[in-house]
Amino acid sequence: MQWFDNFFETRSRRAAQSISRRSAVARLGKMLVGTAILLPVLPFDRVGRAIAAEKAAKAKDKRNDDTACEYWRYCALDGFLCTCCGGTISSCPPGTEVSKVTWVGTCHNPNDGKDYLISYNDCCGGVTCNRCGCNFNEGERPGYRMGVHNDINWCMANSSNSYHCTVAAVVGTAEKTKG
Ligand code: ABN
């Protein structure tokens, strides 16, 4: 291995003679500055961040889309949306009639920051709509508190007991109770 040692010794001595310490430091500095400038402009994959932003924007839109389960008034709705079944947010589709009894929920409107009392009425008659089935249960309680229980057919008091879909009408603003 003598030749190996000799080879590197000669090389190192030549390098030490031709490259001054100052120029070595200058080269190192150039390398560091180059890296600092280049790194931020390299084409990193930022698709993940863009997808996350798009998802958040879509979720926000859905809170104002009355054909989506995420619509703000549906926070305690269990059933099929009448807006997908030929009706509107507060009126039953033709050929069905609004339930005589109902359940209520309190939902937060993200547009004005207020809470609203929502009356969920089932629409009765015909066959079950079966479109846009949703199930949100904010403030919902079991059957022993009927007024805030949603998992029941509220067409029970109508001439036709068959369930079609559910509407969500605003009844008023919710008041905060003290204590
Ligand atoms: N209130 C909606 C509904 C209807 C039938 C069965 C369960 C829930």
Side-chain angles (χ1 to χ4, degrees), residues 78-79 103 122 150-154 163 166:
D78 177 2
W103 80 104
D122 287 343
N150 63 15
D151 195 14
I152 196 171
N153 181 356
W154 283 102
Y163 167 71
T166 305

Side-chain angles (χ1 to χ4, degrees), residues 27-42 44:
R27 275 188 202 185
L28 188 67
K30 271 185 199 164
M31 261 174 61
L32 287 177
V33 171
T35 313
I37 291 172
L38 260 182
L39 265 182
V41 292
L42 283 178
F44 287 114

Side-chain angles (χ1 to χ4, degrees), residues 8-80:
F8 277 100
E9 187 184 339
T10 323
R11 282 289 171 123
S12 309
R13 283 183 192 283
R14 258 190 226 153
Q17 280 160 7
S18 61
I19 307 170
S20 69
R21 200 182 304 162
R22 198 177 287 175
S23 82
V25 171
R27 275 188 202 185
L28 188 67
K30 271 185 199 164
M31 261 174 61
L32 287 177
V33 171
T35 313
I37 291 172
L38 260 182
L39 265 182
V41 292
L42 283 178
F44 287 114
D45 185 4
R46 295 192 173 87
V47 174
R49 213 187 284 177
I51 289 174
E54 201 176 303
K55 266 189 189 168
K58 271 190 187 156
K60 224 175 183 184
D61 283 346
K62 281 187 181 174
R63 290 199 293 171
N64 282 313
D65 173 4
D66 66 10
T67 60
C69 290
E70 293 80 5
Y71 182 58
W72 71 270
R73 283 194 208 180
Y74 299 153
C75 74
L77 186 150
D78 177 2
F80 301 108

Side-chain angles (χ1 to χ4, degrees), residues 80-99 121-131 155 162-168:
F80 301 108
L81 305 182
C82 287
T83 49
C84 298
C85 304
T88 70
I89 181 75
S90 56
S91 63
C92 288
T96 64
E97 61 169 19
V98 68
S99 63
N121 286 76
D122 287 343
C123 294
C124 315
V127 291
T128 306
C129 167
N130 254 327
R131 278 196 291 273
C155 294
S162 60
Y163 167 71
H164 189 70
C165 62
T166 305
V167 292

